[in-house]
Amino acid sequence: MMKIDVRAVAELKVTCATCRACCCKLEVMLITETGVPDYFIEIDAWGGEVMLRLEDGWCAALDRETYMCTIYEKRPLICREFETGSAECLDERQGLLSEGGRV
């Protein structure tokens, strides 16, 4: 049986198909009007509008089975600008892994 050197295995590229929505645990401020439904919006301690997060810390608009956004066409500007596979994305994925999450 042939062994594969683990160091030779490239890290999987983050794409829409391999994304585990790590960014959906971040605080998302609503700074522009995109049409986010009111039931996904809450007011923070300073009076600003933010995306509602459930008790487990995940965004309420995240489909927990597919890890896809249920309001993708109306998602906040910050979500639109957060690039899949960017340095920030990879940092969040690493943070979730270190917390014992699945990525």
Side-chain angles (χ1 to χ4, degrees):
M1 177 183 227
M2 183 177 161
K3 290 186 179 184
I4 298 174
D5 185 356
V6 175
R7 292 173 291 173
V9 177
E11 183 176 326
L12 288 177
K13 182 178 179 183
V14 180
T15 65
C16 290
T18 62
C19 176
R20 297 300 284 175
C22 301
C23 57
C24 293
K25 282 197 135 190
L26 298 173
E27 183 81 18
V28 175
M29 293 181 64
L30 302 176
I31 55 176
T32 61
E33 180 60 44
T34 61
V36 172
D38 289 341
Y39 52 88
F40 286 127
I41 299 173
E42 70 179 346
I43 305 300
D44 67 13
W46 299 273
E49 290 186 333
V50 296
M51 285 297 294
L52 174 67
R53 291 192 297 168
L54 302 180
E55 289 182 20
D56 61 5
W58 289 93
C59 177
L62 178 69
D63 181 310
R64 305 308 176 80
E65 291 182 26
T66 64
Y67 288 97
M68 307 271 300
C69 180
T70 61
I71 59 166
Y72 189 79
E73 293 301 320
K74 296 181 178 186
R75 69 194 185 280
L77 177 64
I78 292 172
C79 299
R80 293 168 188 269
E81 291 181 342
F82 196 93
E83 290 187 44
T84 303
S86 67
E88 294 84 4
C89 170
L90 297 177
D91 285 346
E92 289 305 317
R93 288 172 63 86
Q94 186 59 45
L96 190 62
L97 276 175
S98 64
E99 292 174 7
R102 256 183 84 203
V103 178

XYZ file of all heavy atoms in Angstrom:
802
model
N 0.847 -1.179 0.000
C 0.000 0.000 0.000
C 0.891 1.241 0.000
O 1.806 1.369 0.796
C -0.899 -0.038 1.223
C -1.762 1.167 1.362
S -2.699 1.038 2.891
C -4.267 1.438 2.312
N 0.584 2.183 -0.859
C 1.369 3.405 -0.982
C 0.930 4.429 0.074
O -0.248 4.643 0.291
C 1.166 3.987 -2.370
C 1.956 5.198 -2.652
S 1.646 5.665 -4.369
C 2.169 7.324 -4.335
N 1.897 5.053 0.724
C 1.597 6.097 1.710
C 1.747 7.458 1.057
O 2.628 7.661 0.230
C 2.538 5.991 2.907
C 2.277 4.781 3.759
C 3.147 4.828 4.982
C 2.860 3.616 5.858
N 3.623 3.664 7.093
N 0.894 8.371 1.459
C 0.960 9.741 0.949
C 1.494 10.622 2.065
O 0.961 10.621 3.180
C -0.422 10.251 0.506
C -0.945 9.391 -0.638
C -0.350 11.712 0.083
C -2.361 9.720 -1.054
N 2.531 11.359 1.762
C 3.110 12.283 2.722
C 2.102 13.411 2.967
O 1.712 14.114 2.039
C 4.414 12.853 2.179
C 5.141 13.745 3.168
O 4.597 13.995 4.266
O 6.253 14.192 2.845
N 1.672 13.564 4.202
C 0.654 14.562 4.546
C 1.110 15.965 4.180
O 0.323 16.809 3.785
C 0.301 14.484 6.051
C -0.664 15.584 6.433
C -0.287 13.130 6.380
N 2.402 16.218 4.259
C 2.907 17.549 3.910
C 2.690 17.862 2.439
O 2.678 19.021 2.049
C 4.391 17.660 4.249
C 4.644 17.631 5.752
C 6.097 17.563 6.027
N 6.535 16.242 5.582
C 7.788 15.836 5.525
N 8.752 16.651 5.854
N 8.102 14.625 5.125
N 2.497 16.837 1.623
C 2.320 17.041 0.190
C 0.872 17.320 -0.189
O 0.591 17.684 -1.313
C 2.823 15.813 -0.570
N -0.044 17.162 0.743
C -1.452 17.386 0.461
C -1.745 18.875 0.588
O -1.532 19.476 1.631
C -2.356 16.579 1.426
C -3.821 16.893 1.160
C -2.081 15.096 1.283
N -2.211 19.460 -0.477
C -2.516 20.891 -0.476
C -3.766 21.168 0.351
O -4.681 20.357 0.395
C -2.721 21.380 -1.903
N -3.797 22.316 0.999
C -4.981 22.720 1.747
C -6.098 22.978 0.751
O -5.879 23.536 -0.315
C -4.686 24.005 2.523
C -5.831 24.444 3.371
C -5.499 25.672 4.202
O -4.362 25.816 4.634
O -6.410 26.482 4.392
N -7.306 22.520 1.083
C -8.440 22.719 0.197
C -8.708 24.204 0.003
O -8.706 24.977 0.952
C -9.692 22.068 0.787
C -9.744 20.561 0.776
C -11.015 20.086 1.471
C -9.684 20.020 -0.635
N -8.953 24.573 -1.216
C -9.301 25.952 -1.520
C -10.727 26.211 -1.040
O -11.604 25.366 -1.201
C -9.198 26.196 -3.019
C -9.504 27.609 -3.399
C -9.343 27.843 -4.870
C -9.711 29.289 -5.154
N -9.654 29.616 -6.548
N -10.944 27.355 -0.448
C -12.278 27.709 0.027
C -13.085 28.240 -1.156
O -12.713 29.213 -1.793
C -12.218 28.767 1.149
C -13.621 29.103 1.627
C -11.355 28.293 2.295
N -14.187 27.562 -1.441
C -15.090 27.965 -2.513
C -16.511 27.939 -1.941
O -16.715 27.534 -0.793
C -15.023 26.981 -3.695
O -15.517 25.715 -3.254
C -13.611 26.836 -4.228
N -17.468 28.303 -2.731
C -18.862 28.229 -2.276
C -19.222 26.795 -1.879
O -20.003 26.575 -0.971
C -19.810 28.737 -3.355
S -19.698 30.521 -3.607
N -18.619 25.820 -2.564
C -18.921 24.419 -2.279
C -18.244 23.913 -1.005
O -18.732 22.990 -0.379
C -18.504 23.549 -3.461
N -17.113 24.523 -0.619
C -16.394 24.051 0.568
C -16.503 25.010 1.751
O -15.981 24.730 2.816
C -14.901 23.831 0.254
O -14.313 25.075 -0.126
C -14.714 22.793 -0.830
N -17.176 26.115 1.573
C -17.340 27.096 2.646
C -18.201 26.517 3.759
O -19.184 25.843 3.501
C -18.003 28.355 2.090
S -18.366 29.593 3.345
N -17.823 26.761 4.996
C -18.620 26.306 6.135
C -19.185 27.500 6.899
O -19.482 27.400 8.077
C -17.789 25.422 7.050
C -17.309 24.142 6.376
C -18.435 23.278 5.887
N -19.040 22.585 7.005
C -20.110 21.831 6.936
N -20.713 21.666 5.801
N -20.593 21.249 7.995
N -19.324 28.628 6.233
C -19.995 29.814 6.776
C -19.400 30.313 8.078
O -20.114 30.790 8.945
C -21.483 29.530 6.924
N -18.095 30.225 8.224
C -17.439 30.687 9.448
C -17.722 32.161 9.714
O -17.835 32.573 10.868
C -15.934 30.463 9.359
S -15.508 28.743 9.105
N -17.855 32.938 8.665
C -18.122 34.360 8.829
C -19.504 34.614 9.423
O -19.780 35.693 9.942
C -17.980 35.085 7.502
S -19.032 34.446 6.196
N -20.371 33.621 9.386
C -21.726 33.778 9.907
C -21.787 33.746 11.425
O -22.872 33.772 12.005
C -22.649 32.716 9.312
S -22.894 32.941 7.542
N -20.635 33.714 12.069
C -20.581 33.849 13.524
C -20.117 35.250 13.909
O -20.039 35.579 15.080
C -19.655 32.803 14.137
C -20.304 31.437 14.220
C -19.575 30.559 15.174
C -20.588 29.858 16.034
N -19.999 29.150 17.137
N -19.784 36.073 12.931
C -19.316 37.425 13.189
C -20.491 38.379 13.411
O -21.587 38.159 12.900
C -18.490 37.935 12.000
C -17.217 37.166 11.689
C -16.613 37.677 10.390
C -16.235 37.269 12.831
N -20.247 39.446 14.162
C -21.243 40.511 14.330
C -21.373 41.244 13.006
O -20.370 41.649 12.416
C -20.771 41.490 15.410
C -21.754 42.578 15.712
C -22.864 42.134 16.642
O -22.711 41.109 17.332
O -23.877 42.827 16.699
N -22.582 41.391 12.493
C -22.809 42.045 11.207
C -23.665 43.282 11.416
O -24.854 43.189 11.712
C -23.491 41.088 10.201
C -23.835 41.814 8.908
C -22.590 39.896 9.923
N -23.018 44.442 11.266
C -23.734 45.712 11.369
C -24.403 46.011 10.037
O -23.828 45.776 8.976
C -22.768 46.834 11.719
C -22.177 46.700 13.104
S -21.058 48.052 13.498
C -22.207 49.423 13.454
N -25.609 46.535 10.110
C -26.350 46.913 8.906
C -26.130 48.400 8.678
O -26.696 49.234 9.384
C -27.833 46.583 9.065
C -28.120 45.109 9.354
C -29.593 44.880 9.589
C -27.612 44.233 8.235
N -25.273 48.702 7.703
C -24.904 50.104 7.466
C -25.512 50.666 6.186
O -25.397 51.850 5.928
C -23.366 50.273 7.455
C -22.735 49.324 6.445
C -22.799 50.039 8.841
C -21.231 49.483 6.292
N -26.137 49.805 5.396
C -26.847 50.250 4.194
C -28.152 49.470 4.100
O -28.308 48.426 4.727
C -26.028 49.976 2.906
O -25.814 48.576 2.776
C -24.710 50.714 2.907
N -29.055 49.941 3.306
C -30.340 49.264 3.107
C -30.191 48.253 1.980
O -29.864 48.607 0.857
C -31.419 50.290 2.744
C -32.785 49.696 2.523
C -33.329 48.968 3.741
O -33.211 49.498 4.862
O -33.867 47.867 3.569
N -30.381 46.978 2.299
C -30.310 45.938 1.266
C -31.596 45.134 1.194
O -31.721 44.257 0.350
C -29.134 44.960 1.521
O -29.327 44.320 2.765
C -27.804 45.662 1.459
N -32.525 45.400 2.099
C -33.775 44.663 2.100
C -33.793 43.478 3.041
O -34.645 42.600 2.912
N -32.865 43.442 4.005
C -32.866 42.357 4.993
C -34.221 42.365 5.688
O -34.668 43.413 6.183
C -31.740 42.551 6.033
C -31.857 41.540 7.158
C -30.371 42.466 5.381
N -34.915 41.236 5.736
C -36.215 41.191 6.414
C -36.093 41.578 7.891
O -35.114 41.226 8.560
C -36.635 39.723 6.273
C -35.890 39.223 5.079
C -34.583 39.955 5.103
N -37.081 42.307 8.385
C -37.061 42.820 9.755
C -36.850 41.727 10.804
O -36.223 41.974 11.831
C -38.356 43.572 10.076
C -38.440 44.900 9.343
O -37.392 45.413 8.895
O -39.567 45.420 9.214
N -37.374 40.524 10.555
C -37.260 39.466 11.564
C -35.827 38.934 11.702
O -35.554 38.131 12.581
C -38.252 38.327 11.308
C -38.237 37.750 9.915
C -37.391 36.713 9.571
C -39.107 38.252 8.945
C -37.396 36.177 8.288
C -39.118 37.727 7.667
C -38.254 36.701 7.341
O -38.265 36.173 6.077
N -34.910 39.378 10.839
C -33.495 39.020 10.967
C -32.666 40.169 11.540
O -31.446 40.093 11.582
C -32.905 38.617 9.611
C -33.336 37.266 9.138
C -33.899 37.112 7.881
C -33.179 36.136 9.929
C -34.294 35.864 7.422
C -33.572 34.887 9.479
C -34.131 34.747 8.228
N -33.327 41.234 11.971
C -32.624 42.415 12.468
C -32.898 42.591 13.957
O -34.023 42.410 14.415
C -33.087 43.682 11.715
C -32.781 43.555 10.214
C -32.429 44.934 12.299
C -33.350 44.687 9.368
N -31.838 42.938 14.697
C -32.003 43.321 16.096
C -31.227 44.604 16.342
O -30.407 45.014 15.526
C -31.588 42.198 17.044
C -30.120 41.892 17.106
C -29.801 40.781 18.103
O -30.658 40.427 18.927
O -28.682 40.269 18.028
N -31.510 45.239 17.461
C -30.843 46.482 17.838
C -29.774 46.147 18.873
O -30.059 45.481 19.868
C -31.854 47.505 18.408
C -33.009 47.747 17.410
C -31.155 48.804 18.776
C -32.576 48.288 16.059
N -28.538 46.628 18.642
C -27.462 46.333 19.590
C -27.501 47.306 20.775
O -28.377 48.184 20.843
C -26.098 46.326 18.898
C -25.643 47.689 18.386
O -26.241 48.726 18.751
O -24.665 47.714 17.616
N -26.576 47.159 21.692
C -26.538 47.973 22.918
C -26.361 49.459 22.635
O -26.678 50.286 23.487
C -25.418 47.475 23.829
N -25.872 49.822 21.462
C -25.639 51.222 21.116
C -26.717 51.780 20.199
O -26.599 52.881 19.690
C -24.261 51.364 20.471
C -23.188 50.946 21.419
C -22.568 51.726 22.363
C -22.630 49.644 21.554
N -21.665 50.967 23.074
C -21.679 49.690 22.610
C -22.840 48.434 20.916
C -20.952 48.584 23.010
C -22.112 47.327 21.319
C -21.180 47.422 22.347
N -27.755 50.998 19.943
C -28.860 51.461 19.118
C -28.697 51.204 17.632
O -29.528 51.633 16.844
N -27.649 50.497 17.243
C -27.423 50.189 15.834
C -28.126 48.913 15.416
O -28.395 48.032 16.234
N -28.433 48.820 14.139
C -29.044 47.597 13.614
C -27.962 46.587 13.267
O -26.958 46.921 12.630
C -29.864 47.909 12.359
C -31.105 48.696 12.642
C -31.976 48.870 11.412
O -31.437 48.858 10.277
O -33.195 49.018 11.587
N -28.185 45.356 13.705
C -27.277 44.249 13.412
C -28.093 43.036 13.010
O -29.285 42.955 13.290
C -26.377 43.898 14.635
C -25.451 45.051 14.991
C -27.210 43.501 15.831
N -27.418 42.098 12.362
C -28.087 40.845 12.026
C -28.329 40.061 13.312
O -27.464 39.988 14.183
C -27.224 40.009 11.073
C -27.202 40.525 9.648
S -28.809 40.505 8.823
C -29.135 38.750 8.701
N -29.506 39.494 13.414
C -29.878 38.663 14.552
C -29.029 37.399 14.555
O -28.851 36.752 13.528
C -31.357 38.288 14.452
C -31.893 37.303 15.489
C -31.883 37.951 16.874
C -33.297 36.864 15.107
N -28.475 37.094 15.720
C -27.755 35.830 15.883
C -28.495 35.014 16.928
O -29.001 35.541 17.910
C -26.310 36.075 16.309
C -25.518 36.717 15.171
C -24.049 36.732 15.388
N -23.699 37.528 16.549
C -22.492 37.520 17.099
N -21.551 36.746 16.631
N -22.235 38.277 18.128
N -28.549 33.724 16.719
C -29.249 32.832 17.630
C -28.372 32.517 18.832
O -27.211 32.920 18.887
C -29.691 31.574 16.888
C -30.594 31.845 15.678
C -30.988 30.538 15.008
C -31.829 32.643 16.063
N -28.905 31.813 19.807
C -28.193 31.535 21.055
C -26.843 30.875 20.849
O -25.928 31.061 21.630
C -29.059 30.685 21.980
C -30.218 31.448 22.566
C -31.043 30.613 23.519
O -30.536 29.590 24.028
O -32.196 30.987 23.772
N -26.705 30.083 19.785
C -25.434 29.407 19.520
C -24.411 30.302 18.825
O -23.299 29.889 18.534
C -25.652 28.132 18.716
C -26.284 28.386 17.360
O -26.493 29.557 16.967
O -26.587 27.402 16.663
N -24.787 31.557 18.548
C -23.865 32.518 17.946
C -23.918 32.614 16.439
O -23.326 33.511 15.851
N -24.629 31.725 15.769
C -24.710 31.752 14.316
C -25.791 32.728 13.859
O -26.797 32.928 14.517
C -25.044 30.365 13.767
C -23.931 29.381 13.899
C -23.740 28.517 14.934
C -22.859 29.154 12.996
N -22.614 27.767 14.719
C -22.056 28.134 13.530
C -22.500 29.711 11.775
C -20.914 27.664 12.889
C -21.362 29.234 11.134
C -20.588 28.228 11.689
N -25.581 33.312 12.690
C -26.548 34.221 12.081
C -27.880 33.494 11.894
O -27.925 32.350 11.453
C -26.016 34.696 10.736
S -27.164 35.766 9.850
N -28.968 34.190 12.213
C -30.305 33.605 12.100
C -30.697 33.336 10.647
O -31.563 32.508 10.384
C -31.331 34.527 12.753
N -30.040 33.987 9.688
C -30.375 33.797 8.275
C -29.631 32.618 7.651
O -29.831 32.304 6.486
C -30.071 35.067 7.488
N -28.802 31.937 8.417
C -28.025 30.813 7.906
C -28.830 29.522 7.961
O -29.371 29.166 8.998
C -26.750 30.642 8.738
C -25.845 29.479 8.351
C -25.189 29.739 7.002
C -24.790 29.259 9.427
N -28.921 28.826 6.834
C -29.545 27.506 6.805
C -28.542 26.533 7.413
O -27.447 26.353 6.892
C -29.863 27.107 5.357
C -30.526 25.751 5.250
O -30.014 24.783 5.847
O -31.546 25.653 4.553
N -28.891 25.921 8.534
C -27.959 25.087 9.286
C -27.630 23.765 8.604
O -26.654 23.128 8.948
C -28.498 24.806 10.685
C -28.850 26.043 11.480
C -27.674 27.021 11.505
N -28.011 28.245 12.181
C -28.034 28.401 13.483
N -27.751 27.429 14.280
N -28.345 29.566 14.004
N -28.416 23.339 7.648
C -28.136 22.083 6.957
C -27.209 22.283 5.757
O -26.338 21.463 5.496
C -29.436 21.413 6.515
C -30.243 20.904 7.694
C -31.510 20.202 7.257
O -31.551 19.682 6.120
O -32.445 20.165 8.066
N -27.399 23.385 5.037
C -26.609 23.624 3.828
C -25.479 24.625 4.042
O -24.614 24.747 3.191
C -27.504 24.165 2.700
O -28.030 25.445 3.098
C -28.624 23.194 2.362
N -25.517 25.353 5.156
C -24.576 26.445 5.431
C -24.639 27.514 4.351
O -23.651 28.145 4.018
C -23.142 25.933 5.611
C -22.952 25.203 6.905
C -23.025 23.820 6.955
C -22.729 25.903 8.083
C -22.876 23.142 8.148
C -22.573 25.237 9.281
C -22.647 23.856 9.309
O -22.500 23.198 10.496
N -25.819 27.716 3.799
C -26.043 28.740 2.781
C -26.928 29.828 3.381
O -27.757 29.555 4.239
C -26.720 28.141 1.550
C -26.022 26.936 0.966
S -24.777 27.239 -0.255
C -25.567 28.070 -1.541
N -26.762 31.038 2.889
C -27.550 32.167 3.357
C -28.958 32.089 2.770
O -29.129 31.940 1.564
C -26.878 33.466 2.924
S -27.764 34.943 3.453
N -29.958 32.209 3.638
C -31.341 32.138 3.174
C -31.825 33.460 2.588
O -32.903 33.513 2.002
C -32.288 31.713 4.314
O -32.220 32.678 5.364
C -31.912 30.339 4.841
N -31.045 34.526 2.754
C -31.410 35.834 2.202
C -30.287 36.357 1.307
O -30.033 37.551 1.251
C -31.738 36.850 3.320
C -30.556 37.041 4.267
C -32.993 36.451 4.070
C -30.676 38.250 5.191
N -29.617 35.459 0.608
C -28.419 35.793 -0.162
C -28.591 37.033 -1.036
O -27.728 37.906 -1.066
C -27.997 34.599 -1.018
C -26.662 34.783 -1.672
C -25.489 34.583 -0.950
C -26.574 35.160 -3.007
C -24.255 34.756 -1.544
C -25.335 35.330 -3.609
C -24.185 35.128 -2.870
O -22.960 35.307 -3.465
N -29.688 37.150 -1.751
C -29.907 38.301 -2.642
C -30.117 39.603 -1.862
O -29.950 40.685 -2.416
C -31.081 38.044 -3.578
C -30.817 36.943 -4.589
C -29.621 37.221 -5.486
O -29.432 38.374 -5.921
O -28.863 36.268 -5.750
N -30.479 39.496 -0.583
C -30.731 40.681 0.239
C -29.751 40.774 1.404
O -29.990 41.498 2.356
C -32.167 40.646 0.767
C -33.186 40.731 -0.332
C -34.571 40.718 0.217
C -35.566 40.867 -0.920
N -36.916 41.004 -0.451
N -28.629 40.050 1.329
C -27.671 40.020 2.426
C -27.042 41.400 2.629
O -26.967 42.201 1.692
C -26.602 38.963 2.179
C -25.637 39.261 1.054
C -24.854 38.011 0.671
N -23.837 38.278 -0.331
C -24.047 38.400 -1.623
N -25.280 38.316 -2.106
N -23.052 38.619 -2.456
N -26.583 41.673 3.853
C -25.986 42.976 4.160
C -24.721 43.260 3.336
O -24.046 42.335 2.865
C -25.632 42.862 5.643
C -26.516 41.787 6.167
C -26.698 40.825 5.032
N -24.387 44.534 3.219
C -23.208 44.967 2.477
C -21.938 44.292 3.006
O -21.099 43.840 2.228
C -23.062 46.495 2.555
C -21.831 47.075 1.869
C -21.892 46.826 0.362
C -21.702 48.559 2.170
N -21.797 44.217 4.327
C -20.604 43.599 4.909
C -20.472 42.155 4.429
O -19.375 41.691 4.112
C -20.634 43.684 6.446
C -20.483 45.145 6.871
C -19.574 42.809 7.075
C -20.684 45.386 8.353
N -21.562 41.435 4.352
C -21.535 40.048 3.872
C -21.143 40.000 2.401
O -20.435 39.089 1.966
C -22.886 39.387 4.079
S -23.403 39.285 5.801
N -21.603 40.975 1.630
C -21.273 41.023 0.205
C -19.783 41.283 -0.008
O -19.180 40.791 -0.955
C -22.072 42.124 -0.501
C -23.550 41.852 -0.542
C -24.323 43.102 -0.995
N -25.732 42.892 -0.843
C -26.524 42.408 -1.790
N -26.023 42.089 -2.959
N -27.796 42.240 -1.565
N -19.186 42.076 0.887
C -17.782 42.457 0.730
C -16.804 41.459 1.347
O -15.619 41.505 1.050
C -17.555 43.844 1.326
C -18.245 44.925 0.518
C -18.016 46.310 1.058
O -17.615 46.455 2.244
O -18.232 47.271 0.304
N -17.279 40.557 2.198
C -16.408 39.572 2.846
C -16.103 38.470 1.832
O -16.960 37.668 1.491
C -17.110 38.987 4.079
C -16.189 38.275 5.013
C -15.618 38.947 6.073
C -15.895 36.935 4.838
C -14.765 38.295 6.955
C -15.055 36.274 5.708
C -14.478 36.956 6.762
N -14.885 38.457 1.306
C -14.542 37.559 0.209
C -14.221 36.145 0.670
O -13.420 35.943 1.572
C -13.351 38.105 -0.560
C -13.674 39.337 -1.364
C -12.514 39.750 -2.242
O -11.897 38.865 -2.877
O -12.240 40.950 -2.286
N -14.834 35.189 0.017
C -14.555 33.782 0.261
C -13.092 33.506 -0.063
O -12.621 33.853 -1.131
C -15.452 32.896 -0.624
O -16.804 33.219 -0.377
C -15.220 31.419 -0.349
N -12.377 32.910 0.893
C -10.977 32.562 0.696
C -10.002 33.689 0.967
O -8.796 33.508 0.834
N -10.499 34.876 1.369
C -9.610 35.996 1.685
C -8.871 35.707 2.992
O -9.186 34.755 3.717
C -10.423 37.287 1.829
O -11.269 37.193 2.972
N -7.897 36.535 3.321
C -7.148 36.357 4.567
C -8.087 36.388 5.767
O -7.945 35.582 6.700
C -6.082 37.451 4.692
N -9.077 37.282 5.749
C -10.038 37.376 6.847
C -10.864 36.100 6.955
O -11.123 35.599 8.035
C -10.965 38.585 6.663
C -10.272 39.915 6.761
C -9.625 40.363 5.454
O -9.766 39.679 4.414
O -8.938 41.394 5.481
N -11.277 35.570 5.817
C -12.042 34.325 5.770
C -11.222 33.178 6.365
O -11.712 32.421 7.211
C -12.430 34.019 4.325
S -13.122 32.379 4.035
N -9.991 33.055 5.926
C -9.130 31.975 6.415
C -8.868 32.111 7.909
O -8.807 31.109 8.630
C -7.831 31.932 5.614
C -8.008 31.629 4.121
C -6.667 31.684 3.411
C -8.706 30.310 3.893
N -8.730 33.349 8.407
C -8.556 33.579 9.848
C -9.773 33.093 10.627
O -9.649 32.468 11.674
C -8.324 35.062 10.156
C -6.929 35.529 9.799
O -6.043 34.680 9.553
O -6.725 36.759 9.756
N -10.967 33.390 10.131
C -12.195 32.957 10.806
C -12.319 31.435 10.792
O -12.731 30.834 11.774
C -13.437 33.593 10.169
C -13.569 35.068 10.440
C -13.546 35.392 11.916
O -14.186 34.686 12.730
O -12.872 36.373 12.282
N -11.960 30.806 9.679
C -11.995 29.345 9.597
C -11.046 28.743 10.620
O -11.379 27.788 11.310
C -11.628 28.870 8.188
C -12.707 29.146 7.163
C -12.246 28.837 5.757
N -11.932 27.447 5.550
C -12.820 26.508 5.216
N -14.085 26.828 5.054
N -12.462 25.262 5.026
N -9.838 29.313 10.730
C -8.864 28.807 11.688
C -9.374 29.001 13.112
O -9.225 28.127 13.952
C -7.510 29.518 11.502
C -6.420 28.946 12.355
C -6.161 27.472 12.079
O -6.094 27.057 10.924
N -6.039 26.674 13.105
N -10.006 30.146 13.384
C -10.574 30.400 14.712
C -11.650 29.403 15.082
O -11.711 28.921 16.207
N -12.497 29.062 14.123
C -13.558 28.091 14.371
C -12.970 26.713 14.648
O -13.420 26.003 15.539
C -14.519 28.038 13.185
C -15.798 27.243 13.415
C -16.621 27.854 14.536
C -16.625 27.190 12.159
N -11.928 26.359 13.914
C -11.255 25.079 14.148
C -10.651 25.026 15.543
O -10.749 24.022 16.233
C -10.156 24.860 13.111
C -10.581 24.281 11.775
C -9.398 24.244 10.822
C -11.158 22.906 11.942
N -10.026 26.115 15.966
C -9.387 26.124 17.274
C -10.414 26.077 18.413
O -10.086 25.663 19.515
C -8.460 27.326 17.430
O -9.183 28.530 17.386
N -11.656 26.470 18.114
C -12.735 26.374 19.104
C -13.355 24.979 19.121
O -14.285 24.712 19.874
C -13.841 27.380 18.792
C -13.469 28.826 18.969
C -14.566 29.764 18.514
O -15.689 29.286 18.185
O -14.329 30.976 18.472
N -12.883 24.113 18.253
C -13.418 22.760 18.177
C -14.544 22.604 17.183
O -15.221 21.588 17.141
N -14.771 23.600 16.343
C -15.820 23.525 15.336
C -15.394 22.732 14.130
O -14.226 22.393 13.966
N -16.358 22.422 13.278
C -16.084 21.699 12.038
C -16.004 22.645 10.882
O -16.867 23.472 10.675
C -17.233 20.717 11.762
C -16.871 19.307 12.066
C -17.992 18.393 11.715
N -17.949 18.055 10.304
C -18.994 17.659 9.621
N -20.169 17.562 10.173
N -18.894 17.361 8.360
N -14.940 22.546 10.114
C -14.783 23.355 8.903
C -14.578 22.423 7.741
O -13.942 21.433 7.820
C -13.595 24.336 9.021
C -13.430 25.112 7.749
C -13.810 25.267 10.173
